[in-house]
């Protein structure tokens, strides 16, 4: 029996979906614990590609239970659409293999409207959110005005809460944001229908996981976003609205920290970021373009081009501390193929002084310049490597340098988007 948390170490899109799909083979339960459909997790199996926003990335495997924990904010229309799409590809998704926590919060139409109207109003200073209503939904959760899944599936409770909430939201939308007010009947009809469809999926995820643990099952927690988008520890205010760090798995699924065995950090061999906010190693030159093109760095949720830059060890070490990483995966190593010189930022320079650690606020980070260490690149195609020894010596050296600088042992190397394009050094469930 083992419990493994998978987290992104950078600013999201590290390849968490691919790794969770891969590790689901060894897991019995796969659990999303925070975020919502701002996430876009890509799974490539054979010639099929799936982009999942809410359904856990274990869904392609038979005889597994996928769970959506209490920490998730759930847009019911998006979830039902995703379920339909998976079914059209002959993937089983039903209450036998998908359980939704009754305590998860519902993303309402007004959350999306507020998110978008606010971004519009902010203009240049916008966060660059995904526009999915994530922030406004978590706001309602914190202010205790949120509607939870167990209320969505109870028409009486739902309509009562909707009435009260909509009055306030319409006032805010109209009078402050200058947007159109929303119609009660339309929202009520739409969401009551969602409630009917989702009722069979609702359960108690925390209790289910406790039972699984007592039966010696393997549990895989699937993080969304990344450490530096975490509401507390990320580059605030250019962050998402949930705790994307490993600790979030305990709160967001209802499990105690003593029941976690391994925390696996997923790190791209370079860095990307979507939306606004500081990014010290960003490259706005031919190399940045190379990474964007070769890595197909376009958002899986919004299609926006991702900003690209060198690997940042200050960022990775920060993630190692915040998550208590015990194991490391490097993804998209193949994207670096063909570059003569590969760089890793090992520290920053801030106002003429060296800085080894990640500042806890944005104003300092904006003024940090990276100090780089250079590594010789390789030109061989590595996408069919399946064993560490299949990699060119220069590639092996680059990986070992990352492992040493991060002080976290490497367990998985990904050399292509496909499930099988992977070098497994150590199965995180067997650590
Ligand atoms: P996530 O949000 O962390 O799950 O990552 P995304 O799915 O948003 O973005 C990662 C992208 O890189 C997806 O298009 C994956 O199919 C792709 N990918 C994952 N691992 C690799 C890899 O090792 N090499 C290449 N070339 N692509 C990869
Ligand atoms: P996955 O799970 C990359 C970014 C948005 C924006 C900020 C806030 O695929 O790694 P939000 O809509 O959450 O209020 O937006 O966070 N963001 C992501 N960037 N990958 C993600 O998820 C992201 N989820 C949110 O671009 O900058
Ligand atoms: Mg993504």
């Amino acid at each position: 029996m083992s419990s493994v948390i998978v987290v992104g170490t950078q600013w999201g899109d590290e390849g968490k979906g691919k790794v969770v799909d891969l590790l689901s083979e060894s897991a019995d339960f796969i659990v999303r614990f925070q975020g919502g459909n701002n996430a876009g997790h890509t799974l490539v199996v054979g010639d099929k590609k799936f982009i999942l926003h809410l359904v856990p990335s274990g869904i392609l495997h038979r005889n597994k239970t996928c769970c959506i924990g209490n920490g998730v904010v759930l847009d019911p229309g998006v979830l039902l659409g995703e379920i339909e799409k998976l079914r059209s590809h002959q993937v089983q998704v039903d209450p036998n293999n998908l359980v939704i926590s009754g305590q998860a919060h519902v993303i309402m139409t007004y959350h999306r409207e507020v998110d978008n109207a606010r971004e519009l109003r902010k203009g240049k200073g916008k966060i660059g959110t995904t526009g999915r209503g994530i922030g406004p939904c978590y706001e309602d959760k914190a202010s205790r005005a949120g509607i939870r899944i167990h209320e969505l599936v109870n028409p009486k409770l739902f309509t009562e809460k909707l009435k009260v909430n909509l009055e306030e939201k319409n006032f805010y939308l109209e009078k402050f944001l200058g947007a159109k007010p929303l119609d009660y009947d339309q929202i009520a009809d739409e969401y009551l229908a969602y409630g009917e469809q989702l009722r069979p999926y609702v359960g108690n995820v925390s209790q289910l996981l406790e039972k699984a643990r007592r039966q010696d099952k393997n549990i895989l927690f699937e993080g969304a976003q990344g450490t530096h988008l975490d509401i507390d520890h990320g580059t605030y205010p250019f962050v998402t609205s949930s705790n994307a760090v490993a600790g979030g798995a305990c709160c967001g699924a209802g499990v105690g920290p003593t029941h976690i065995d391994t925390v696996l950090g997923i790190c791209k061999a370079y860095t990307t970021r979507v939306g606004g906010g500081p990014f010290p190693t960003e490259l706005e030159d031919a190399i940045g373009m190379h990474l964007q093109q070769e890595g197909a760095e376009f958002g899986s949720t919004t299609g926006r081009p991702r900003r690209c830059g060198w690997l940042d060890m200050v960022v990775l070490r920060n993630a190692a501390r915040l998550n208590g990483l015990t194991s490391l995966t490097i993804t998209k190593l193949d994207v670096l193929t063909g570059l003569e010189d590969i760089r890793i930022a090992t520290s920053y320079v801030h106002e003429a002084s060296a800085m080894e650690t990640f500042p806890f606020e944005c104003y300092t980070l904006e003024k940090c310049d990276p100090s780089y260490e250079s590594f010789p690149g390789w030109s061989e195609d590595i996408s069919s490597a399946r064993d560490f020894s299949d990699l060119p010596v220069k590639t092996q050296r680059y990986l070992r340098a990352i492992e040493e600088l991060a002080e976290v042992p490497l367990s998985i190397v990904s050399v292509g988007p496909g499930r099988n394009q992977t070098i497994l050094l150590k199965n995180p469930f067997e650590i």
Side-chain angles (χ1 to χ4, degrees):
M1 193 281 296
S2 198
S3 289
V4 176
I5 301 176
V6 167
V7 284
T9 58
Q10 296 158 314
W11 280 280
D13 304 325
E14 297 90 348
K16 298 175 293 292
K18 168 182 165 161
V19 175
V20 169
D21 167 64
L22 177 82
L23 296 180
S24 293
E25 182 70 40
S26 310
D28 302 292
F29 288 75
I30 302 95
V31 190
R32 273 283 308 268
F33 56 86
Q34 45 71 232
N37 59 311
N38 47 350
H41 296 178
T42 314
L43 284 44
V44 178
V45 185
D47 58 2
K48 282 200 168 168
K49 176 171 163 177
F50 299 89
I51 297 178
L52 301 176
H53 302 287
L54 276 167
V55 173
S57 298
I59 200 72
L60 301 185
H61 296 260
R62 292 206 152 268
N63 304 318
K64 314 282 176 189
T65 307
C66 288
C67 301
I68 296 180
N70 58 276
V72 169
V73 286
L74 191 151
D75 188 322
V78 172
L79 178 67
L80 288 163
E82 204 164 299
I83 292 174
E84 258 336 288
K85 199 158 181 198
L86 283 163
R87 284 184 183 156
S88 74
H89 288 273
Q90 284 73 51
V91 177
Q92 181 202 342
V93 195
D94 58 40
N96 294 308
N97 69 342
L98 178 67
V99 181
I100 304 169
S101 165
Q103 293 161 293
H105 278 251
V106 181
I107 296 184
M108 301 294 300
T109 316
Y110 47 77
H111 292 136
R112 289 191 300 269
E113 293 292 322
V114 167
D115 192 358
N116 288 310
R118 259 194 206 149
E119 285 280 276
L120 206 64
R121 194 169 186 276
K122 279 191 180 132
K124 262 186 120 185
K126 68 180 180 183
I127 306 282
T129 72
T130 58
R132 302 301 193 260
I134 306 295
C137 185
Y138 278 115
E139 275 172 49
D140 277 359
K141 172 178 175 173
S143 72
R144 292 150 294 176
I147 297 179
R148 306 207 289 184
I149 294 288
H150 70 92
E151 291 164 321
L152 175 71
V153 302
N154 180 325
K156 187 171 176 292
L157 288 179
F158 176 74
T159 45
E160 276 169 13
K161 276 200 115 164
L162 176 62
K163 234 180 217 120
V164 175
N165 282 3
L166 194 61
E167 203 185 333
E168 186 182 328
K169 299 298 173 194
N170 272 342
F171 179 82
Y172 181 58
L173 275 167
E174 240 189 315
K175 306 278 187 243
F176 186 74
L177 293 171
K180 282 199 183 113
L182 298 166
D183 181 58
Y184 169 85
D185 288 331
Q186 206 176 332
I187 301 179
D189 288 352
E190 181 185 344
Y191 277 76
L192 286 171
Y194 293 150
E196 287 304 312
Q197 292 178 75
L198 290 180
R199 191 174 296 119
Y201 292 89
V202 180
N204 187 323
V205 169
S206 172
Q207 281 180 9
L208 191 68
L209 296 179
E210 168 69 0
K211 197 168 151 203
R213 193 179 63 78
R214 287 175 186 270
Q215 290 173 345
D216 282 346
K217 304 288 188 194
N218 281 345
I219 304 171
L220 183 58
F221 295 93
E222 176 179 10
Q225 290 76 54
T227 299
H228 297 85
L229 286 173
D230 181 279
I231 179 82
D232 288 294
H233 302 289
T235 46
Y236 192 92
F238 299 98
V239 292
T240 192
S241 301
S242 64
N243 283 116
V245 294
C250 294
C251 311
V255 296
T258 50
H259 297 147
I260 303 300
D261 302 284
T262 296
V263 182
L264 175 65
I266 315 297
C267 180
K268 254 183 215 181
Y270 49 98
T271 312
T272 62
R273 171 159 209 177
V274 205
F279 178 1
T281 64
E282 183 168 14
L283 295 167
E284 287 172 295
D285 60 7
I287 296 173
M289 197 54 87
H290 171 100
L291 297 173
Q292 190 181 76
Q293 294 303 318
E294 295 300 313
E297 295 296 356
F298 296 90
S300 341
T301 297
T302 56
R304 290 176 290 179
R306 294 174 182 151
R307 300 155 66 191
C308 297
W310 293 120
L311 179 60
D312 187 334
M313 202 42 71
V314 185
V315 161
L316 183 53
R317 283 197 304 259
N318 199 46
R321 185 188 80 256
L322 289 167
N323 296 292
L325 297 185
T326 55
S327 187
L328 184 65
T329 291
I330 298 295
T331 61
K332 305 196 85 159
L333 189 61
D334 52 301
V335 175
L336 298 183
T337 299
L339 293 173
E340 256 175 56
D341 169 57
I342 298 174
R343 295 184 179 190
I344 298 178
T346 48
S347 61
Y348 297 150
V349 175
H350 178 256
E351 292 178 347
S353 305
M355 220 166 98
E356 304 282 334
T357 52
F358 197 76
F360 65 79
E361 42 74 27
C362 256
Y363 307 101
T364 306
L365 187 66
E366 274 161 6
K367 292 192 211 135
C368 283
D369 289 316
S371 301
Y372 289 113
E373 209 172 292
S374 282
F375 297 83
W378 58 89
S379 55
E380 299 90 330
D381 179 2
I382 59 167
S383 61
S384 48
R386 298 293 177 267
D387 195 273
F388 197 79
S389 62
D390 296 338
L391 294 169
V393 172
K394 285 174 182 163
T395 321
Q396 295 187 15
R397 282 203 197 120
Y398 176 69
L399 287 171
R400 290 302 178 206
I402 296 174
E403 194 178 30
E404 252 172 59
L405 288 164
E407 299 183 41
V408 184
L410 190 63
S411 57
I412 300 172
V413 180
S414 175
V415 292
R419 186 191 274 170
N420 64 337
Q421 291 181 292
T422 309
I423 299 170
L424 186 66
L425 294 116
K426 187 119 188 106
N427 186 333
F429 279 103
E430 291 161 13
I431 290 173

